[in-house]
Amino acid sequence: MELLDALNQRTSVRSYTGEPANPRQMEAILAAASEAPVGMGRYDSLHLTIVSDRKLLAAIDAAAARLFGDPSAHPLYNAPTLVVVSSNAEGNVASANVAAVIQNMSLAAVDQGVGSCYIYGATRALAQDPKLVAALDLPDGFAPVGSIALGLTDQRYAPRELDAKHHIASNVVA
Ligand SMILES: Cc1cc2nc3c(=O)[nH]c(=O)nc-3n(C[C@H](O)[C@H](O)[C@H](O)COP(=O)(O)O)c2cc1C
């Protein structure tokens, strides 16, 4: 798929069939993570955890629903896979790196026909719960910063006209 088509068609998917991406699709998506730009080239400040354990996904989903004050919510949208991106860096650079990595994975997901959604709120709930963090088995010093939900979906990526909410204002200083 052409890059500009992937950029245009990428959208946050919040409805999943329950079937995970196949190994070839996952390989392509995870490879794209390592192609992201990372501040000072510190790729060793990042760590990916591929979570497909249903019990752990349900526990993260429930912790996020509690944090949002809506026990009936499913902030992970029943996606079968969550890739948690963790960092051991201090400050804003950690979120900037993680965002670049997640964006790369979301574009690769479009290319692979796999649904994806950037998950920040539920990652915050996860990061606040020591038991959930321990279940990720992260290297020492790493903490979850952002995640991407992945899975097959009945939703089809298609060319889209961006709505008004997508407009980012700009000005020119010449
Ligand atoms: C930093 C960041 C955090 C986000 N967190 C969430 C989230 O927790 N849950 C969610 O459903 N969408 C989340 N999103 C997706 C945005 O809501 C979405 O990208 C935006 O509304 C534009 O829609 P689109 O992705 O379909 O173009 C997040 C996006 C970004 C960049």
Side-chain angles (χ1 to χ4, degrees), residues 25-85:
Q25 291 169 321
M26 279 306 291
E27 199 179 315
I29 292 166
L30 295 173
S34 297
E35 285 164 340
V38 166
M40 309 274 286
R42 288 279 322 280
Y43 290 86
D44 62 352
S45 71
L46 293 164
H47 186 87
L48 305 179
T49 308
I50 297 93
V51 181
S52 54
D53 179 281
R54 282 167 187 256
K55 274 193 183 158
L56 181 54
L57 289 171
I60 297 169
D61 193 58
R66 281 195 301 277
L67 183 72
F68 299 165
D70 178 2
S72 69
H74 289 290
L76 298 186
Y77 308 112
N78 300 312
T81 307
L82 186 72
V83 178
V84 180
V85 189

Side-chain angles (χ1 to χ4, degrees), residues 87-95 141:
S87 174
N88 66 0
E90 297 290 330
N92 292 340
V93 74
S95 345

Side-chain angles (χ1 to χ4, degrees), residues 8 25 34 41 50 60 64 67 91-92 110 112 123 132 143 145 166:
N8 172 256
Q25 291 169 321
S34 297
I50 297 93
I60 297 169
L67 183 72
N92 292 340
V110 176
Q112 293 296 317
T123 310
L132 293 178
V145 177
H166 279 84

